[in-house]
Amino acid sequence: MMTWRHFSRLFCYCPALTSLILFASPLLLSPYHSHCIIPGFVFIITIIIILIFFSLLSHPQSPCSQPSSIMESSPLPHLQNENESNGNHHHISKKSKPSLISESDLRLEFSHHDPSIARINNGSFGSCPASVSAAQRHWQLQYLRQPDYFYFNLLQPAILRSRTLIKDLVNAHHVDEISLVDNATTAAAIVLQQTAWAFTEGRFKRGDAVVMLHYAYGAVKKSIHAYVCRAGGQVIEVPLPFPVNSNEEIVDEFRRALMRGKANGSRVRLAVIDHITSMPSVVIPVKELVKICREEGVDQVFVDAAHAIGCTDVDMKDIGADFYTSNLHKWFFCPPSVAFLYSRKTLDNSPELHHPVVSHEYGNGLAIESGWTGTRDYSAQLVVPDAIEFTNRFEGGIEGIKKRNHGGVVEMGEMLASAWGTNLGTPPKMCASLIMVGLPVSLGISSDSDALKLRTHLRENFGVEVPIYYRQPKDEEVDPITGYARISYQVYNTINDYYKLRDAINQLVSDGFTCALLSK
């Protein structure tokens, strides 16, 4: 039976039909044309049939054929259909292999970057391609469109999908070992909160130690002091040389720090180890250090690997730490901010971790607690499938990206060191997609303040974004290199970005510039 809906679809398929009837109706209804009404109707019906036939051929899937959500009685079919194609059922492995990304498509993916800036600081904030940003906006709009349906039907399955993919990426035993949190700093707070409780509840005694690297990330160092020292523990820093020449230098210092932590009958309850230190940037031999911790009776090992995933090899079974965290928005193309926290589960010991924000899911396990900390934007956690799909557009996927980024940053680092007559801060094998390059001594970098002011000067006057590290010289050194640029290399970078930095520093040297000339 023909209903109004059928007629509406008919007119939607064939807009010319509406125009024809509007044109012909006055002629057919006019009393002056009554003699041609019947032939006129026959003519119109014939035209209608012809137009419908050709419209169906040219528009077999017209969007008008889809009923609006207002007219349908089923609950939110638009959300169900969108979710099946872009959300919960986003099974990348079942899709056909994507074609490799072209240079023009790559430029389009990052066309939102400021073209006036040589952006060689991917390490600080990462980068999100346009296709992943679009997927994020899709999730945000689904929430805004019908938040109740999103909360009850879409959010948790989508988070589980992301956790499952990460579990496979990092070779964890079970998806329950993977939680999604805002960033590595949040993950550190979760682990350190547990350590603080152990002190306050008497499971750890006053004077027991937490060991961390001297080059640990600043926010994590402050968290260790805030949680552990206030609870009665002591903090021992592992001094590390820089520049560094070998893993053995790091291993030897780490062993000595553990011995200090075990002095006077105390125990080392937690070791916090960076996988890639931030400033200066060095790849730490985490597998060897975790093994040493096991040999020396350290209770737990937490690896702060903010830069690791997408930048260096990450394998939970191989590394063997109790806790491991890495940001997905730095080197894995997710939008800010999202990180994973791995918590190793064993038959006889499953650590009791809780999210610092206590919400309705408290007590249901860290992964579930982290999946709902209250009303907020969870979209960054939901686009992991899209980030993986983006990496698969490159030859070799994420492994190929890591290899090319490492080769690129080493090549550019050596080019800059040669141009400035300086040296690299580490051997190539001890860097990933970031490397430290010595700056000319004549720049007169003599403090952390000088390093920050020089960074600002390069940004504002030369259009170069690069972090600068101040290295305090040793007493016996003559004309030491005290400033290092930490350069990153990501898929969007070109050789001209590094030439721009090279030429900026060369111009400063040629002009007789020193950091003392910068305003206080």
Side-chain angles (χ1 to χ4, degrees):
M1 177 179 177
M2 289 289 287
T3 66
W4 170 248
R5 184 181 300 170
H6 294 98
F7 279 112
S8 66
R9 293 183 185 180
L10 179 65
F11 286 104
C12 194
Y13 270 124
C14 187
L17 175 60
T18 303
S19 301
L20 175 64
I21 291 178
L22 289 174
F23 173 77
S25 294
L27 297 176
L28 295 176
L29 298 178
S30 171
Y32 299 104
H33 297 87
S34 57
H35 63 281
C36 61
I37 288 177
I38 293 176
F41 270 120
V42 173
F43 170 75
I44 289 176
I45 293 300
T46 304
I47 294 299
I48 288 173
I49 294 172
I50 293 172
L51 288 174
I52 290 174
F53 176 76
F54 283 104
S55 295
L56 288 172
L57 286 178
S58 60
H59 303 286
Q61 296 182 1
S62 170
C64 294
S65 65
Q66 298 298 321
S68 69
S69 59
I70 296 176
M71 298 177 65
E72 292 292 343
S73 59
S74 61
L76 297 171
H78 52 286
L79 290 178
Q80 293 171 344
N81 293 336
E82 289 173 359
N83 181 47
E84 289 174 359
S85 62
N86 295 295
N88 286 352
H89 303 286
H90 193 162
H91 294 289
I92 294 173
S93 60
K94 294 182 180 180
K95 288 188 175 184
S96 59
K97 185 177 180 181
S99 58
L100 295 181
I101 192 168
S102 66
E103 181 65 23
S104 60
D105 285 343
L106 177 60
R107 296 299 149 212
L108 283 174
E109 286 281 7
F110 296 98
S111 60
H112 52 282
H113 286 188
D114 186 343
S116 68
I117 299 295
R119 184 169 166 165
I120 48 182
N121 182 31
N122 191 83
S124 286
F125 299 104
S127 51
C128 183
S131 57
V132 179
S133 293
Q136 181 187 27
R137 286 193 296 275
H138 170 81
W139 284 111
Q140 291 169 331
L141 288 173
Q142 289 210 64
Y143 168 77
L144 294 173
R145 195 171 189 176
Q146 224 295 32
D148 297 82
Y149 185 87
F150 181 87
Y151 171 76
F152 285 106
N153 297 80
L154 304 184
L155 178 60
Q156 294 308 319
I159 289 178
L160 177 60
R161 175 62 178 154
S162 291
R163 289 172 50 218
T164 302
L165 290 171
I166 295 166
K167 173 255 179 187
D168 295 335
L169 280 169
V170 304
N171 195 28
H173 286 276
H174 195 277
V175 69
D176 288 345
E177 297 176 317
I178 303 296
S179 302
L180 295 181
V181 296
D182 282 350
N183 47 46
T185 304
T186 303
I190 291 170
V191 174
L192 293 169
Q193 176 182 247
Q194 179 214 39
T195 304
W197 288 344
F199 277 104
T200 57
E201 294 168 1
R203 289 180 282 124
F204 297 168
K205 70 175 185 178
R206 294 186 67 86
D208 284 349
V210 170
V211 171
M212 67 177 180
L213 305 185
H214 176 65
Y215 296 129
Y217 187 59
V220 174
K221 292 178 76 170
K222 289 186 176 181
S223 293
I224 293 171
H225 283 281
Y227 281 100
V228 175
C229 292
R230 293 180 65 181
Q234 64 166 322
V235 178
I236 295 176
E237 290 195 16
V238 181
L240 295 179
F242 185 80
V244 61
N245 297 308
S246 68
N247 287 334
E248 286 69 31
E249 294 177 82
I250 298 171
V251 170
D252 291 344
E253 290 291 352
F254 189 77
R255 285 188 182 276
R256 283 192 282 269
L258 290 183
M259 293 302 102
R260 292 198 303 275
K262 295 166 65 175
N264 302 318
S266 296
R267 294 183 59 177
V268 177
R269 297 296 187 171
L270 177 69
V272 180
I273 304 169
D274 297 69
H275 198 157
I276 302 174
T277 56
S278 178
M279 287 288 268
S281 181
V282 179
V283 176
I284 303 297
V286 289
K287 184 178 177 180
E288 291 83 347
L289 299 191
V290 171
K291 182 180 179 182
I292 292 169
C293 287
R294 303 303 183 205
E295 295 169 352
E296 298 296 334
V298 177
D299 284 26
Q300 294 179 324
V301 181
F302 169 46
V303 176
D304 175 10
H307 288 274
I309 190 166
C311 190
T312 192
D313 294 339
V314 176
D315 187 316
M316 297 301 95
K317 295 175 185 177
D318 186 52
I319 293 171
D322 298 287
F323 312 109
Y324 187 105
T325 186
S326 188
N327 290 320
L328 293 153
H329 57 261
K330 283 188 181 289
W331 294 95
F332 205 75
F333 303 105
C334 285
S337 62
V338 56
F340 77 87
L341 172 59
Y342 162 84
S343 174
R344 185 168 67 105
K345 297 185 183 299
T346 62
L347 292 177
D348 58 348
N349 181 31
S350 294
E352 184 182 0
L353 298 179
H354 293 284
H355 198 283
V357 177
V358 177
S359 191
H360 296 289
E361 298 292 354
Y362 184 84
N364 292 328
L366 179 63
I368 303 302
E369 290 181 14
S370 300
W372 183 257
T373 58
T375 302
R376 49 156 296 182
D377 184 1
Y378 292 88
S379 59
Q381 300 182 9
L382 311 182
V383 296
V384 173
D386 305 277
I388 294 174
E389 187 171 349
F390 176 75
T391 64
N392 287 340
R393 295 170 65 190
F394 293 80
E395 185 176 357
I398 192 62
E399 295 301 319
I401 291 172
K402 289 190 299 186
K403 182 178 180 180
R404 286 187 293 275
N405 285 352
H406 172 72
V409 82
V410 169
E411 181 181 357
M412 294 300 98
E414 290 175 340
M415 179 273 293
L416 292 171
S418 175
W420 299 333
T422 60
N423 57 262
L424 300 178
T426 66
K429 67 178 181 180
M430 296 183 72
C431 77
S433 301
L434 312 96
I435 201 166
M436 306 298 294
V437 186
L439 292 166
V441 174
S442 63
L443 295 177
I445 303 170
S446 59
S447 66
D448 290 330
S449 177
D450 282 350
L452 183 58
K453 287 187 287 186
L454 177 58
R455 175 179 181 174
T456 303
H457 188 70
L458 288 170
R459 179 193 307 122
E460 295 180 350
N461 294 279
F462 294 93
V464 174
E465 189 62 67
V466 63
I468 307 296
Y469 171 71
Y470 166 65
R471 168 189 173 269
Q472 189 169 359
K474 298 177 181 179
D475 292 338
E476 67 275 10
E477 289 185 289
V478 178
D479 292 331
I481 296 174
T482 57
Y484 283 79
R486 188 193 75 181
I487 64 169
S488 300
Y489 195 100
Q490 186 51 291
V491 295
Y492 56 81
N493 284 122
T494 68
I495 194 170
N496 289 330
D497 295 330
Y498 305 92
Y499 285 165
K500 194 171 183 179
L501 171 60
R502 178 198 64 187
D503 296 344
I505 295 298
N506 284 343
Q507 182 178 330
L508 291 176
V509 172
S510 176
D511 293 344
F513 168 91
T514 71
C515 288
L517 298 174
L518 296 175
S519 59
K520 298 293 184 182

